[in-house]
Amino acid sequence: MSASTVDTPQVLLEYHLKALRLPTMLREYDKLARTCAQEKADFPHYLLRLTELELARCEYLARKENILLLGNSGTGKSHIALALGLAACQRGHRVRFITAAALVGELIEARDEKRLLRFQKQLAAYELLIVDELGYVPLSKTGAELLFETFSQRYERTSTLITSNLPFDEWTEIFGSERLTGALLDRITHHVNILEMNADSYRLKQSRRKPTQP
């Protein structure tokens, strides 16, 4: 067999997927490619759906890895976060879903009522903490520090899934401090799966499809 026959893209792809221990991608990539071709889905959407299948196996939880879903509003970040949370629940993992604003509110309330340590222990017990909409609402200095502490306590102990409409270089706007932002990104991106979702808003697409009133 010639080298040109062996080194085909398909053979190399299957070799790398085995080496990376991505069995769902290895098993499903060809079938999903045909499905996406029939639906005329573009390549980024194909890769996104393939990655979702792999992440739904929840092996990232055993590896204490994080997931970051970044992209414009209305691109399905929260839907994917909910789906991954449901998959984790179905596999017996402890999961909590909460918006960043609500979590900060609960942290501040717990601090004011002198039960912050107990609440932090409760959060640490979740194998997957899903924090939705980070960056949609500005945080106070106290809120930013408490949220940073929460993420830091989970570092290499449990998994955190974060959705945000802001790229990393704008996270300083959320936390108000370059030092705090840099320290946070250093921790949450150490063991991480990042899905960038910068497509058009599905809500905007639906609005455009609605017939105009005469």
Side-chain angles (χ1 to χ4, degrees):
M1 185 177 293
S2 66
S4 60
T5 303
V6 174
D7 295 335
T8 61
Q10 182 174 355
V11 172
L12 288 173
L13 176 61
E14 292 178 357
Y15 172 80
H16 291 315
L17 289 175
K18 287 179 181 177
L20 291 170
R21 298 181 181 178
L22 299 173
T24 304
M25 284 189 175
L26 177 62
R27 184 177 64 252
E28 301 290 340
Y29 80 90
D30 187 53
K31 180 172 67 177
L32 185 57
R34 291 195 295 269
T35 301
C36 286
Q38 292 173 354
E39 297 175 358
K40 297 183 179 179
D42 58 21
F43 188 66
H45 281 87
Y46 162 68
L47 285 180
L48 179 60
R49 288 168 65 176
L50 192 59
T51 305
E52 290 169 11
L53 287 173
E54 187 65 51
L55 290 175
R57 299 173 65 241
C58 298
E59 290 191 354
Y60 65 94
L61 294 176
R63 298 191 294 264
K64 319 299 183 188
E65 294 174 352
N66 300 319
I67 298 178
L68 299 180
L69 303 178
L70 308 177
N72 304 327
S73 177
T75 53
K77 300 183 298 297
S78 297
H79 288 83
I80 292 175
L82 283 167
L84 293 176
L86 178 60
C89 287
Q90 291 173 336
R91 291 176 179 268
H93 298 288
R94 295 194 66 195
V95 179
R96 180 164 186 192
F97 182 101
I98 189 170
T99 65
L103 177 57
V104 168
E106 290 191 22
L107 286 165
I108 292 176
E109 182 179 324
R111 185 207 59 174
D112 292 345
E113 296 177 357
K114 301 187 185 305
R115 54 180 180 83
L116 179 60
L117 183 59
R118 184 166 73 250
F119 182 52
Q120 288 174 329
K121 287 181 178 179
Q122 291 173 354
L123 291 174
Y126 291 106
E127 295 168 87
L128 175 61
L129 176 64
I130 301 175
V131 181
D132 195 31
E133 298 182 345
L134 181 65
Y136 285 76
V137 179
L139 303 179
S140 65
K141 182 176 183 295
T142 299
E145 290 173 351
L146 288 171
L147 190 59
F148 169 79
E149 189 176 347
T150 298
F151 289 149
S152 295
Q153 289 170 347
R154 299 179 61 80
Y155 174 58
E156 293 191 326
R157 295 184 179 91
T158 48
S159 296
T160 305
L161 189 159
I162 301 170
T163 76
S164 178
N165 62 324
L166 297 179
F168 290 142
D169 58 6
E170 295 181 24
W171 278 33
T172 305
E173 298 176 12
I174 306 173
F175 293 94
S177 163
E178 290 187 7
R179 178 189 58 79
L180 198 66
T181 304
L184 173 65
L185 289 174
D186 182 61
R187 287 165 174 79
I188 65 173
T189 61
H190 186 201
H191 309 290
V192 70
N193 303 278
I194 301 176
L195 302 182
E196 295 189 32
M197 305 170 61
N198 288 314
D200 293 333
S201 168
Y202 70 86
R203 300 186 189 96
L204 182 59
K205 288 181 179 179
Q206 289 176 348
S207 298
R208 288 170 175 168
R209 293 193 193 106
K210 292 180 180 178
T212 56
Q213 297 295 328

